[in-house]
């Protein structure tokens, strides 16, 4: 039922969409039917999949950089309050500044559309991983902390054997959020950078289709973006169940 109910809901939605387009005779340049979108996707599969791979590669690279940076900074913050108090304003500025506002500046500094998109996607994905991981590192049981102090455990031993296991559920939760945000950041940054050409992502295909009023093709590219986000979220859901089911309450009852 866990898989069947969402599948039925999606099928009902698509069926209603198809019926509405046919009933009101909506032209494809306003709202294409799902069947028309799938046919267009198949007809343009080569170019769209090439762009999809570009977007996916940048998304995964940005997410990997955000994981390394977010977890590393969170570990430093957890071990030193002084460092946290000093650097937190910079992390907050990265979070609250709209990526669409800084993308032109980044493009001027890097002189590369790909680097601009990668940096923007990293900025969007960085803070959720930092915040969630830091919360997890701070959520270790106080009694266990005292036990580690009693046995004169070093900071590294405390981090490795106590703080990291307690932070894992929070990190995985942040990973689910950051995975979708890195994809959003990559697409939005490419919109802002105005990248064009063959070796560009799905945002370029969406812009090209919009300029040419090829609305079915635009929906086909949007479908690939949405499916990519769903697959990223589903993968991290699976990873979370895989890593936490045996010992953490958040996954035991599922």
């Amino acid at each position: 039922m866990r898989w069947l109910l969402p599948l039925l809901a999606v099928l009902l939605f698509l069926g209603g969409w198809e019926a509405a387009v046919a009933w009101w005779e909506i032209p494809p340049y306003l709202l294409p039917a799902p069947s028309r979108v799938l046919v267009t996707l198949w007809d343009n599969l080569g170019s769209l999949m090439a762009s999809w791979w570009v977007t996916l590669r940048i998304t995964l690279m940005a997410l990997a950089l955000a994981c390394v940076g977010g977890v590393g900074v969170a570990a430093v913050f957890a071990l030193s309050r002084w460092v946290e108090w000093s650097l937190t304003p910079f992390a907050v500025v990265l979070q609250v500044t709209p990526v669409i506002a800084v993308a032109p500046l980044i493009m001027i500094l890097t002189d590369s559309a790909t680097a601009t998109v990668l940096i923007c996607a990293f900025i969007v994905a960085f803070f959720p991983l930092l915040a969630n991981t830091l919360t997890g590192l701070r959520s270790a049981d106080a009694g266990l902390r005292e036990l580690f102090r009693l046995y004169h455990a070093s900071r590294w031993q405390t981090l490795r054997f106590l703080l990291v296991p307690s932070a894992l559920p929070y990190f995985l939760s942040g990973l689910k959020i950051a995975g979708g945000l890195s994809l959003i950041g990559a697409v939005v940054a490419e919109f802002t950078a105005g990248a064009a050409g063959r070796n560009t992502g799905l945002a370029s295909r969406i812009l090209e289709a919009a300029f040419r009023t090829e609305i079915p093709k635009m929906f086909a590219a949007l479908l690939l973006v949405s499916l990519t986000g769903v697959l990223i979220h589903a993968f991290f859901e699976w990873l979370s169940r895989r890593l936490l089911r045996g010992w953490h309450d958040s996954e035991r009852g599922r």
Side-chain angles (χ1 to χ4, degrees), residues 133-191:
T133 304
L134 183 60
T135 300
L137 292 172
R138 294 274 167 76
S139 299
D141 184 82
L144 291 177
R145 286 178 181 270
E146 292 299 324
L147 182 64
F148 271 68
R149 291 194 188 97
L150 179 65
Y151 283 96
H152 304 290
S154 66
R155 286 191 173 187
W156 168 249
Q157 290 173 324
T158 303
L159 178 67
R160 179 183 176 186
F161 296 109
L162 176 62
L163 301 184
V164 169
S166 72
L168 184 59
Y170 296 85
F171 165 73
L172 292 172
S173 178
L175 202 55
K176 297 175 191 176
I177 301 171
L181 289 179
S182 61
L183 176 62
I184 294 171
V187 173
V188 171
E190 193 170 5
F191 276 131

Side-chain angles (χ1 to χ4, degrees), residues 196-235:
R198 297 181 60 186
N199 297 320
T200 51
L202 287 171
S204 295
R205 304 288 80 79
I206 294 172
L207 286 174
E208 290 173 3
F211 289 147
R212 298 172 182 173
T213 325
E214 297 175 342
I215 306 305
K217 186 177 180 180
M218 185 178 70
F219 270 81
L222 286 171
L223 176 62
L224 285 180
V225 173
S226 300
L227 289 177
T228 303
V230 170
L231 289 176
I232 291 174
H233 181 80
F235 172 76

Side-chain angles (χ1 to χ4, degrees), residues 7-90:
L7 180 60
L8 288 176
V10 172
L11 291 177
L12 286 173
F13 171 75
L14 294 177
W17 180 358
E18 185 82 26
V21 170
W23 179 264
W24 283 293
E25 298 181 352
I26 302 175
Y29 59 82
L30 289 180
L31 181 65
S35 57
R36 181 70 174 266
V37 174
L38 292 177
V39 170
T40 304
L41 175 61
W42 179 257
D43 292 339
N44 298 272
L45 193 61
S47 62
L48 289 177
M49 290 304 294
S51 296
W52 171 82
W53 173 244
V54 173
T55 298
L56 179 64
R57 187 174 71 247
I58 292 176
T59 298
L60 295 180
M61 289 172 60
L63 185 58
L65 291 174
C67 284
V68 174
V71 172
V73 173
V76 174
F77 283 4
L79 294 176
S80 174
R81 287 281 187 177
W82 292 100
V83 175
E84 180 186 0
W85 293 338
S86 302
L87 299 183
T88 294
F90 298 98

Side-chain angles (χ1 to χ4, degrees), residues 1-6:
M1 295 301 293
R2 181 180 177 184
W3 294 100
L4 183 60
L5 289 176

